[in-house]
Amino acid sequence: MDNFRNMALPNTSLLLFVLQMCALAWQAWALVDLRMEDTVEVYMDESAEIPCLYSFTEQPMMVMVQWFVQEREGHRVRISFSDLTMQKVDENTSYSDRISVQSNSDGETLTIQDVKLSDEREFFCQVSGLSAGSEEGKTLLKVFDPPEPPVIEGVLSGVSVSGESPAKIASCETREGFPKPNITWYRDHIPIHPTSGLANMVTLLTRESSGLYTVQSELHYKVTKEDKDAHFSCEVSYFVPGAVRTSESKGINITVHYPTTSVEIWKESPEGLVREGDTVELRCQGDGNPPAPIIFNREQSDVELDSSQGLLVLKEVSRADSGVYECHSLGLDAVNHDEVLDTLQLTVHYLDPAVVVPKDSEVMLKGESLTATCNALSSLETSTVWFKDGIEVGRGHIMQLQDATFDTAGQYDCEVTVPSLPGLLTSGFVHIIVQGAPQMKDAEREIELMEKVGGWVNLSCEVRGYPRPAITWSITGSQSQSWREVVKGEMEDQVYSVVMLKVTTDAVAVCNSTNDFGIETKTFSIRSIPFSQTPTARKTSVDNSGVIIVVIIVSILLLAILGSVFYFLYKKGKLPCGRSGKQEITKEKTNKDDIVVEMKAKKTEESVLLKGVNGEQKPPNDQNSTLSS
């Protein structure tokens, strides 16, 4: 078989040579129309189809089609052959197991499977119709493999604006693409073009063993302070069959180092107005990067205040802490030190203790008028409220007391506040004393009382005045030892007295009150009621002695029961009937009457002890009259 093949190849070559010579002889009057695409584009690892279409002006006796490929060294290698009798893929080529040829009436189509980067070359189609003519065409196969998305990285250290030439700020890389990708840089989506002294790009192209390209690009850029907020990105552009596509990286922000040109100071706490005792925090910050050290001081003072990382804390401030505070930047690359500062006016508000005029206490005459003031020194407008016994009596710094009476006397408290700054409060007081002659309650009328002889009455006397009046009693018509003072009380401008008087006869009691400004009296007329009175009077006495009546009724019932017993004994003969028996019964009766009288007397004594204050009549069996003054 091998010998047969070896003999067939020379014969085939000879036949082709003869046919070509014949074709040359006939080509003067025979033509072939062959059509092939200039390029065919395909993704790597996919299949590529290269058509070869032909037609003859004369019908050929036979047609031979051969496919060739251009090697890297420049020579051509046949990869396929076909004629009227056979269709053959040449062996021992790089395409022997990856190509196939399909024929039809219009021509042939070469199909290449699993396209590789090495397949990017020219493919030739040679058509011979012997005497009908021959022609050759070619197609360039282009292979594409998109690269990976770009990866961007910014420099880890900051970039200073003080550099004299562009500095590297970022790098961008895209890997394994074919053909070679291109990288373009952007600042805020605006392309960056190479500019002398401002921007330039350094590109490194690497071809991997696979034949794919990796592209690295570095952006060298002269940054300014405005670049601190800019976003830099890179874009990769690459070819695909029939188009150009792009892939953009994420945007990155570059750390830009620039000097401090200004600082700002502000009050961080407390919010609103500052009062004495507050803790105040002042914050200062410069516009440089990295932040420069900050110091604080008072205006027109070189003494540095203790602060930390741009924060000044003033604890329990007082009005002495009011003033202008300065903060300075100490950056080495800062502009003129004297210009890089800011100031803040701090005002610490205060409220001094209240000042009351008149101070402490004031004595005024009854009927006089008085003007009292209460205020406090403050950095803000104040408001004053007056109170007496916890009740608001006035508003305003001035309080007017007109036509003073004893009711006017007492302590007046004032509270001073700052409406615009709650929490600031101070207070004071003034004690008002009203001087005047004694003023006795119910002194304008004479008090008339009635009480039975032996009864007790309570007489009360209440007086106001300053200086505090003295009270004396004068009683006429009763024995001096028959009355006594049982209650006595004194306050600043008030005194009261209660006496208990035993009625023996009609009497007149006078309460005398005196001080440095005068005297005032109050008269009580007591009328005694004897035991022997008119039936009306006795009825009144009986009506008021219900307990005695009950005792009498009980005694009568006891006598009736005792009489029934004696009568029963008499009927039975157990008791002799005679005068002496009657006398005993009469004596027993007399004893019962004596018991009644003794109980009444005892009740009378108890009624005296149960008398109430101010002449109130306590026991129901006594006729007592009292007065509440």
Side-chain angles (χ1 to χ4, degrees), residues 392-628:
E392 182 179 327
V393 295
R395 286 182 173 268
H397 302 309
I398 300 175
M399 179 182 64
Q400 298 283 351
L401 298 178
Q402 304 287 345
D403 193 16
T405 65
F406 291 130
D407 291 330
T408 306
Q411 179 169 305
Y412 292 82
D413 298 295
C414 63
E415 289 185 356
V416 182
T417 58
V418 178
S420 60
L421 189 54
L424 283 182
L425 181 145
T426 184
S427 61
F429 71 93
V430 59
H431 191 78
I432 300 298
I433 300 172
V434 178
Q435 289 185 338
Q439 179 179 319
M440 189 175 296
K441 188 175 181 180
D442 295 331
E444 66 277 2
R445 63 188 180 89
E446 182 177 345
I447 308 302
E448 294 184 355
L449 302 174
M450 295 178 64
E451 181 58 59
K452 68 180 183 294
V453 174
W456 293 81
V457 293
N458 294 331
L459 307 178
S460 64
C461 188
E462 183 179 346
V463 186
R464 299 187 69 180
Y466 196 88
R468 186 171 52 242
I471 292 181
T472 59
W473 290 88
S474 58
I475 299 175
T476 59
S478 292
Q479 299 177 0
S480 59
Q481 66 272 18
S482 63
W483 69 276
R484 62 181 180 274
E485 188 175 38
V486 294
V487 179
K488 184 176 183 180
E490 294 180 348
M491 291 183 289
E492 182 181 39
D493 62 350
Q494 187 174 356
V495 63
Y496 58 92
S497 174
V498 178
V499 298
M500 180 180 287
L501 174 65
K502 185 174 182 179
V503 178
T504 57
T505 59
D506 292 346
V508 175
V510 178
C511 174
N512 303 289
S513 60
T514 60
N515 66 4
D516 295 343
F517 291 89
I519 182 171
E520 189 165 25
T521 61
K522 180 178 181 181
T523 303
F524 299 87
S525 295
I526 301 97
R527 181 183 173 190
S528 62
I529 303 175
F531 282 111
S532 57
Q533 284 288 345
T534 60
T536 303
R538 284 198 304 270
K539 183 179 182 298
T540 302
S541 178
V542 172
D543 291 339
N544 290 330
S545 304
V547 176
I548 297 175
I549 295 174
V550 172
V551 172
I552 294 173
I553 294 173
V554 171
S555 300
I556 293 173
L557 291 175
L558 291 175
L559 289 175
I561 294 171
L562 187 60
S564 299
V565 171
F566 278 108
Y567 180 75
F568 177 76
L569 294 176
Y570 173 75
K571 285 293 186 180
K572 293 292 184 178
K574 298 292 183 178
L575 191 67
C577 181
R579 185 175 183 89
S580 60
K582 295 181 180 180
Q583 288 177 350
E584 288 176 3
I585 293 174
T586 304
K587 183 178 181 181
E588 181 67 19
K589 185 177 180 180
T590 304
N591 290 339
K592 291 296 183 181
D593 292 339
D594 292 342
I595 290 173
V596 172
V597 173
E598 287 176 2
M599 290 180 67
K600 181 178 180 182
K602 184 176 182 181
K603 273 294 180 180
T604 304
E605 291 176 359
E606 289 179 353
S607 64
V608 175
L609 296 178
L610 293 176
K611 289 294 183 177
V613 184
N614 296 332
E616 296 179 358
Q617 186 173 350
K618 299 298 181 181
N621 60 336
D622 291 337
Q623 290 293 332
N624 296 340
S625 298
T626 60
L627 174 66
S628 177

Side-chain angles (χ1 to χ4, degrees), residues 192-245:
I192 302 175
H193 300 289
T195 304
S196 178
L198 295 179
N200 63 281
M201 297 81 179
V202 178
T203 302
L204 176 63
L205 178 64
T206 303
R207 186 155 191 176
E208 307 292 343
S209 60
S210 61
L212 300 175
Y213 290 99
T214 293
V215 181
Q216 296 173 315
S217 178
E218 292 182 353
L219 174 61
H220 293 252
Y221 192 81
K222 185 173 176 58
V223 296
T224 63
K225 183 178 178 180
E226 289 70 25
D227 292 320
K228 65 184 178 66
D229 299 320
H231 287 83
F232 293 86
S233 61
C234 63
E235 180 186 76
V236 175
S237 59
Y238 54 93
F239 292 96
V240 295
V244 177
R245 293 181 180 174

